[in-house]
């Protein structure tokens, strides 16, 4: 890894806070809010994602951001790459005709949806979120892409919680994480 990339990763790691027992007892919550507060760190995260995409994917049509923190990083990356950005939201938050998928969370159940016309069949997409835990949300988003006949090139996250084995649910997809715990 280049020295510049390593220094950006170190900056990122210094800006992730840990909160024990949030949102419930036994959960060790990794907080990315300090990344957003610091312009240099936010730029470093965007730089690292951009470097990964440009190195590994010659053709990408859309960045797909997952509700809600994928919305923070996805548009910045899409703008840098000169491509579009699409939202995957919690059920009931998007107007017009939508497609939805139900999935399990670390501590509950949810449904994700996308507007029917958001992604065209055959488009090449990359999914982005802040965290990979059990993999439920990213898996649901991949299922939405399958329903829309898009080609999922890969998934990207800032943080991967390895002990929760979320990557196992995404075996058929490439997963890139900046930081692992």
């Amino acid at each position: 890894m280049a020295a510049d990339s390593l220094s950006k990763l170190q900056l990122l790691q210094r800006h992730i806070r840990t909160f024990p027992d949030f949102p419930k007892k036994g959960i060790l919550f990794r907080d990315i809010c300090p990344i957003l507060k610091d312009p240099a760190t936010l730029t470093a995260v965007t730089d690292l994602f951009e470097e990964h995409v440009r190195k590994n994917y010659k053709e990408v049509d859309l960045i797909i951001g997952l509700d809600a923190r994928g919305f923070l990083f996805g548009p910045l990356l899409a703008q840098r790459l000169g491509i579009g950005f699409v939202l995957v939201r919690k059920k009931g938050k998007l107007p017009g005709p939508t497609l939805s998928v139900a999935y399990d969370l670390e501590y509950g159940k949810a449904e994700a949806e996308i507007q029917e016309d958001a992604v065209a069949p055959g488009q090449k997409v990359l999914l982005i979120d802040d965290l990979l835990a059990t993999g439920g949300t990213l898996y649901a988003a991949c299922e939405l892409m399958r329903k829309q006949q898009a080609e999922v090139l890969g998934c990207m996250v800032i943080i991967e919680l390895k002990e929760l084995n979320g990557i196992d649910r995404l075996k058929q997809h490439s997963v890139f994480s900046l930081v692992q715990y």
Side-chain angles (χ1 to χ4, degrees):
M1 179 178 290
D4 184 47
S5 293
L6 184 57
S7 67
K8 289 175 183 178
L9 276 174
Q10 290 168 340
L11 178 64
L12 164 61
Q13 289 173 319
R14 288 194 305 271
H15 283 82
I16 296 172
R17 293 186 298 190
T18 302
F19 288 95
D21 299 323
F22 182 83
K24 67 180 196 176
K25 190 162 182 65
I27 302 289
L28 191 59
F29 188 86
R30 305 292 180 167
D31 180 25
I32 62 158
C33 290
I35 294 168
L36 301 169
K37 187 176 166 183
D38 183 68
T41 308
L42 183 56
T43 298
V45 168
T46 308
D47 289 349
L48 290 165
F49 280 135
E50 180 184 10
E51 176 184 307
H52 172 73
V53 172
R54 291 196 188 278
K55 180 179 176 184
N56 295 287
Y57 304 103
K58 301 302 177 219
E59 189 180 329
V60 180
D61 298 312
L62 296 169
I63 298 294
I64 310 295
L66 280 60
D67 197 345
R69 292 185 183 101
F71 299 173
L72 302 172
F73 302 97
L76 298 173
L77 178 59
Q79 184 180 40
R80 288 252 191 110
L81 296 170
I83 61 176
F85 175 78
V86 170
L87 306 171
V88 169
R89 300 239 29 212
K90 292 177 179 82
K91 186 152 180 70
K93 301 292 184 181
L94 291 170
T98 60
L99 298 171
S100 66
V101 171
Y103 65 99
D104 293 324
L105 293 166
E106 303 87 276
Y107 32 82
K109 293 187 179 294
E111 262 187 272
E113 69 181 2
I114 190 168
Q115 290 174 317
E116 280 184 1
D117 63 354
V119 180
Q123 283 193 298
K124 294 172 177 25
V125 301
L126 285 168
L127 284 69
I128 190 167
D129 203 1
D130 67 322
L131 179 78
L132 172 58
T134 63
T137 307
L138 272 170
Y139 181 80
C142 289
E143 284 298 297
L144 285 172
M145 295 302 103
R146 186 186 59 73
K147 282 185 171 186
Q148 293 203 311
Q149 299 172 22
E151 182 182 341
V152 176
L153 300 175
C155 303
M156 301 178 296
V157 295
I158 295 173
I159 299 168
E160 178 184 350
L161 302 177
K162 293 185 83 65
E163 72 272 5
L164 296 177
N165 300 314
I167 202 159
D168 291 346
R169 291 185 82 177
L170 301 164
K171 283 181 183 170
Q172 68 187 48
H173 301 289
S174 165
V175 178
F176 173 73
S177 56
L178 296 175
V179 178
Q180 300 83 34
Y181 292 101

